[in-house]
Amino acid sequence: MEKSTAKERIAKLKDLIEKYRYSYHVLDKSLVSDAVNDSLKNELEKLEGEFPDLITADSPSQRVGGEPLKKFAKVTHRSAMLSLTDAFSAEEFQAWFERISKLTPTKIDDFYAELKMDGLAVSLIYENGLLVRGSTRGDGQVGEDVTENLKTIEAIPLQLHFRPHKKLGLNEEQVKKALTGRIEIRGEAFMRKKIFEQLNISQKSKDMKIYANPRNVAAGSIRQLNPKITSSRHLDFYAYAMITDLPLATHQQEHILASALGVKINMYSQQLDSIKKIIKFHQKWEKGKDKLDYWFDGVVVTVNDKKIFNDLDVVGKAPRGSIAFKFVAEEATTKLTDVIVQVGRTGKLTPVAVLEPVAVSGVTVSRATLHNQDEIERKDIRLGDTVVVRRAGEVIPEVVNPIKELRTGQEKKFVMPKKCPVCGSKVERIDGEVDYRCTNKACYGSKLLQLRHFTSKAAFDIVGLGPKVIDRFYDEGLISEPADIFKLRESDINQLERFGELSAQNIIAAIKARRQISLPRFLYGLGIRHVGVETAEALAKHFGSLDKIRNTKLEELQQVPDIGPVVAESLYRFYAIKENERLIDRLLKEVKIKLVQTPKGGKLAGQSVVFTGTLEHFTRQGAQETARSHGADVNESVSESTNLVVIGQNPGSKADRAKKLGVKIISEKEFQKLLRYLTSN
């Protein structure tokens, strides 16, 4: 190919590749496949290889330079790259608005709101439309020259090309004239979520370091001395400000102009005319931040009118006319006071951090996962450490790392127990696995059954805490014993997937309603072997208080009516176990036992009543309690001493035995008539 033909072909290829770049990165429209785009670039590089003197600085082939640099040169910014003041609540944001309103006679009712990207701030200098230098923010006054690295970011144009825009308010001649001079574009270089995830997968496959967050990776990638490494990280870019001699009246115009020149801006930025609308905009994106393919941690709000903005001037290192309205922090520091080991449904032992309560992402966190022993050792987390706790989105809180500089020397290393904390069985770790497991396959069931039993209808009857919910809370490390249920907060629950604010409120309200409980329900809820509903009633009636039951000797228990030797032995053994005593003590710190005295001289006093079958208008428990309120002794079995048997549908063997013994039998309807008679007389 002759040089003149090659020159013409190269020019066309450059224009076409730039067209595709602009459409894909700025307009978010893909005109051709990646394969087609790569093929065009490949042809361009081959032609430039044949005719090196035709290579220009704005050629797409120059995005990745040659040899790695030995060091970065320092760059002094013509005007400081200022930092922003933060607001962490609507109240703080409102206070900022009130402050700046007092500093200008002009009413401020025009703002520009944009997502606050979690990346690295950089400056791009264009002369005669060509990118001549790119630098980091540095300390705001002096940064580092990272031009070759920034050239690898496809979203950053190497050459500015003006495309007319209806909302710009400038004529084409003005812009073209400005392009012959110096234009500075400032923005944020960042890494998208998918790229970050792919990078960590690659790192893991090579047994290399896993990166903690994309911001650090983006910053590290830009500060690589080898541009080829930067190129491999596939960074992205959004412009957020422009410095030019053009007469731009608003901050919004800076964004429009950047886009018209082929520079990528965030499509979700918005002009707003009231504080109320800004707060709604903030709330919308705080809830929706996980829907986008990049990280952002708030909303930057700027007084849109550039004259008012400039008149407000600067305070310290921050412009008065802008503020970073942050989302609620997803990380916080607190003290790790203890580590408990949770036994999951498969027998897996999971260490859970017990923390001094701290607000993270708008909720109070007192427990967080530590994952496993290997993770604890890798992060070198110790009891007593001040730790960083993270809760992102709906994710269960986790301990990120300890702050070793705050150690006192009193911190202790955690070691996984050799025996299961639930059943005392041997704990084992299979080769090649990170998890420790209890060898007793019945272990999980016994622990979960205790919690399920505790919240059942006949016990504490906590609405909303059915078996599936109890299992979920247990697996998430929120509860491990009955007392933990009363320590739950709404914030513990609504952070879980499929648990919204309303369900969390309802569950907490149901728990609160059971902070006062009758003695029979309390006794039955403990899950003592052989102690059913009737036995719990008999114990409560005989002793009158929990303290008396706990301190009664075996011989005395055996003398209680309706309490046989087997039940007495079971009761005595239960209270003889210190851990059971401690469990009750912890529970009594959360609930109060209300003593319900059986009415003396009730119309059914001295009458032994048994209910059997399915009742239509009562629950079994409701019917029993109603009978007791009239003085009756309610029992589960029919005997010669039974006075009355109330039958529902499908009554079973109890009705047969009552007939055989000649005990009076009445239907549910007749029982209701009896109650009306007893109430009216």
Side-chain angles (χ1 to χ4, degrees):
M1 184 181 291
E2 291 188 7
K3 188 173 182 179
S4 59
T5 306
K7 185 177 181 180
E8 185 178 345
R9 179 67 176 176
I10 285 172
K12 288 183 177 179
L13 285 169
K14 284 165 58 177
D15 287 345
L16 191 57
I17 292 169
E18 167 58 22
K19 176 185 177 181
Y20 294 156
R21 183 207 70 81
Y22 175 79
S23 180
Y24 182 79
H25 289 284
V26 180
L27 303 181
D28 199 26
K29 293 180 181 177
S30 182
L31 299 180
V32 295
S33 67
D34 289 344
V36 170
N37 202 24
D38 290 342
S39 180
L40 294 173
K41 290 179 181 177
N42 185 51
E43 182 185 352
L44 175 64
E45 289 174 6
K46 284 182 178 180
L47 285 173
E48 289 179 338
E50 290 181 39
F51 303 96
D53 57 326
L54 295 180
I55 299 174
T56 58
D58 66 337
S59 173
S61 66
Q62 298 306 295
R63 286 197 176 275
V64 181
E67 295 299 315
L69 301 172
K70 291 184 179 180
K71 65 177 183 178
F72 294 117
K74 298 297 180 183
V75 174
T76 301
H77 303 299
R78 285 194 182 183
S79 62
M81 293 185 71
L82 301 172
S83 55
L84 296 177
T85 302
D86 293 331
F88 292 96
S89 66
E91 291 75 21
E92 289 182 13
F93 176 67
Q94 181 73 37
W96 165 77
F97 171 68
E98 291 172 0
R99 283 196 306 273
I100 64 172
S101 295
K102 294 175 183 177
L103 298 175
T104 175
T106 308
K107 183 181 179 181
I108 304 175
D109 57 3
D110 186 16
F111 302 90
Y112 195 67
E114 48 201 298
L115 305 183
K116 186 180 180 300
M117 300 299 298
D118 193 13
L120 184 72
V122 297
S123 165
L124 307 173
I125 305 296
Y126 290 86
E127 292 180 357
N128 201 27
L130 185 69
L131 178 63
V132 296
R133 190 176 70 210
S135 59
T136 61
R137 176 183 177 276
D139 63 3
Q141 299 290 341
V142 179
E144 292 178 315
D145 188 334
V146 289
T147 307
E148 296 305 312
N149 290 344
L150 292 178
K151 281 183 177 181
T152 70
I153 302 176
E154 290 276 352
I156 296 175
L158 301 178
Q159 177 80 46
L160 300 177
H161 297 279
F162 178 63
R163 299 164 178 82
H165 195 292
K166 293 179 182 178
K167 295 183 179 180
L168 182 56
L170 299 172
N171 63 50
E172 192 170 340
E173 291 305 315
Q174 279 181 299
V175 179
K176 286 182 177 179
K177 185 178 178 181
L179 279 176
T180 62
R182 185 180 192 273
I183 290 179
E184 181 178 359
I185 296 173
R186 293 176 175 179
E188 199 92 1
F190 62 95
M191 179 175 278
R192 291 188 175 271
K193 291 178 180 177
K194 287 182 180 178
I195 302 299
F196 179 69
E197 291 166 2
Q198 290 168 4
L199 177 62
N200 267 343
I201 290 171
S202 175
Q203 291 289 106
K204 188 174 182 180
S205 68
K206 299 173 185 175
D207 290 327
M208 296 174 70
K209 175 186 174 183
I210 301 297
Y211 295 107
N213 62 72
R215 186 188 186 282
N216 290 350
V217 180
S221 299
I222 290 171
R223 298 190 72 255
Q224 285 283 346
L225 291 172
N226 187 350
K228 287 185 173 63
I229 296 177
T230 309
S231 178
S232 71
R233 299 289 171 79
H234 304 290
L235 300 182
D236 211 331
F237 175 84
Y238 281 141
Y240 60 68
M242 288 193 69
I243 300 174
T244 172
D245 293 332
L246 285 167
L248 301 177
T250 66
H251 184 57
Q252 184 178 16
Q253 273 188 297
E254 294 181 35
H255 287 250
I256 295 171
L257 178 58
S259 180
L261 293 174
V263 184
K264 194 172 183 179
I265 61 170
N266 193 308
M267 64 183 290
Y268 298 109
S269 301
Q270 193 172 344
Q271 185 270 333
L272 299 167
D273 59 11
S274 71
I275 296 301
K276 185 177 181 181
K277 289 181 180 178
I278 292 170
I279 291 173
K280 284 187 176 180
F281 182 84
H282 179 274
Q283 291 172 339
K284 169 189 172 182
W285 285 111
E286 184 161 30
K287 291 179 180 178
K289 62 181 183 291
D290 294 326
K291 296 178 181 178
L292 300 184
D293 188 34
Y294 48 79
W295 282 264
F296 54 102
D297 57 359
V299 173
V300 175
V301 181
T302 302
V303 174
N304 202 20
D305 188 301
K306 288 178 69 67
K307 184 181 183 306
I308 298 176
F309 179 88
N310 292 330
D311 288 345
L312 288 170
D313 204 9
V314 175
V315 57
K317 292 184 177 182
R320 285 195 179 96
S322 283
I323 192 165
F325 190 179
K326 292 285 196 74
F327 298 145
V328 178
E330 293 185 341
E331 288 188 345
T333 59
T334 187
K335 203 72 172 289
L336 191 156
T337 59
D338 196 7
V339 175
I340 61 173
V341 177
Q342 201 79 31
V343 183
R345 65 181 65 202
T346 61
K348 184 178 80 171
L349 274 62
T350 302
V352 177
V354 179
L355 309 166
E356 289 183 357
V358 62
V360 187
S361 290
V363 302
T364 301
V365 171
S366 57
R367 291 192 181 184
T369 181
L370 290 166
H371 298 293
N372 52 61
Q373 179 75 44
D374 287 0
E375 191 75 355
I376 293 173
E377 291 175 0
R378 185 181 70 80
K379 294 178 178 178
D380 190 20
I381 297 170
R382 304 181 186 185
L383 295 172
D385 266 335
T386 296
V387 295
V388 175
V389 182
R390 176 189 295 149
R391 178 183 175 271
E394 301 301 318
V395 179
I396 297 300
E398 67 168 336
V399 175
V400 180
N401 57 264
I403 302 178
K404 297 180 182 179
E405 294 82 356
L406 296 178
R407 282 180 175 166
T408 63
Q410 301 299 311
E411 295 78 14
K412 297 180 180 179
K413 289 187 176 183
F414 169 79
V415 179
M416 194 67 77
K418 294 181 179 179
K419 291 186 177 181
C420 174
V422 174
C423 68
S425 300
K426 182 182 176 183
V427 168
E428 67 176 9
R429 181 182 184 179
I430 299 173
D431 289 341
E433 293 187 5
V434 297
D435 296 324
Y436 287 78
R437 297 182 184 277
C438 173
T439 55
N440 176 13
K441 293 183 179 180
C443 172
Y444 165 80
S446 62
K447 190 70 174 178
L448 262 294
L449 284 174
Q450 180 193 31
L451 288 165
R452 292 176 183 176
H453 175 84
F454 182 82
T455 57
S456 65
K457 284 188 177 181
F460 273 65
D461 190 21
I462 302 178
V463 178
L465 287 187
K468 289 184 179 179
V469 176
I470 286 292
D471 291 0
R472 177 73 185 279
F473 288 1
Y474 182 83
D475 286 344
E476 297 290 1
L478 296 179
I479 58 174
S480 61
E481 63 173 66
D484 292 337
I485 292 171
F486 296 92
K487 297 175 184 177
L488 287 170
R489 301 181 180 91
E490 286 182 24
S491 58
D492 294 325
I493 300 170
N494 62 28
Q495 67 179 312
L496 302 178
E497 187 179 356
R498 298 179 184 174
F499 285 86
E501 292 184 8
L502 183 60
S503 60
Q505 290 172 5
N506 290 339
I507 289 173
I508 294 302
I511 292 171
K512 186 177 180 180
R514 291 295 180 266
R515 284 191 175 274
Q516 284 198 3
I517 198 78
S518 68
L519 180 55
R521 282 181 177 272
F522 185 94
L523 291 171
Y524 179 70
L526 294 177
I528 304 170
R529 193 179 183 191
H530 300 306
V531 176
V533 173
E534 297 309 317
T535 302
E537 288 284 350
L539 287 167
K541 183 179 178 181
H542 182 84
F543 290 102
S545 74
L546 181 64
D547 285 340
K548 288 183 179 179
I549 298 173
R550 293 173 76 176
N551 296 314
T552 300
K553 295 179 180 179
L554 178 60
E555 294 77 14
E556 294 177 61
L557 287 170
Q558 291 173 337
Q559 295 173 6
V560 177
D562 301 319
I563 301 294
V566 174
V567 176
E569 181 73 23
S570 179
L571 272 167
Y572 185 75
R573 286 185 176 181
F574 180 85
Y575 289 113
I577 297 173
K578 290 183 179 180
E579 179 52 35
N580 290 338
E581 287 285 298
R582 287 192 286 265
L583 182 147
I584 293 172
D585 289 337
R586 290 192 291 268
L587 188 54
L588 289 175
K589 289 180 180 179
E590 306 296 335
V591 302
K592 182 179 179 181
I593 297 175
K594 55 180 181 181
L595 301 180
V596 180
Q597 298 294 332
T598 302
K600 293 182 179 179
K603 300 292 178 64
L604 293 179
Q607 299 291 302
S608 175
V609 180
V610 173
F611 292 87
T612 183
T614 303
L615 302 176
E616 183 180 355
H617 300 288
F618 293 90
T619 63
R620 174 69 64 84
Q621 185 181 346
Q624 291 172 337
E625 289 182 356
T626 301
R628 290 192 190 98
S629 70
H630 289 282
D633 289 328
V634 179
N635 294 291
E636 286 293 333
S637 58
V638 177
S639 65
E640 293 179 353
S641 61
T642 302
N643 301 105
L644 183 67
V645 173
V646 181
I647 62 171
Q649 296 178 2
N650 304 315
S653 60
K654 292 180 183 179
D656 295 336
R657 180 163 175 75
K659 289 178 183 177
K660 186 176 180 180
L661 295 174
V663 176
K664 184 177 180 180
I665 299 173
I666 63 173
S667 66
E668 181 183 2
K669 190 174 183 180
E670 290 172 315
F671 177 65
Q672 288 177 297
K673 286 183 180 179
L674 174 62
L675 292 177
R676 286 195 290 271
Y677 171 77
L678 295 174
T679 304
S680 60
N681 288 281

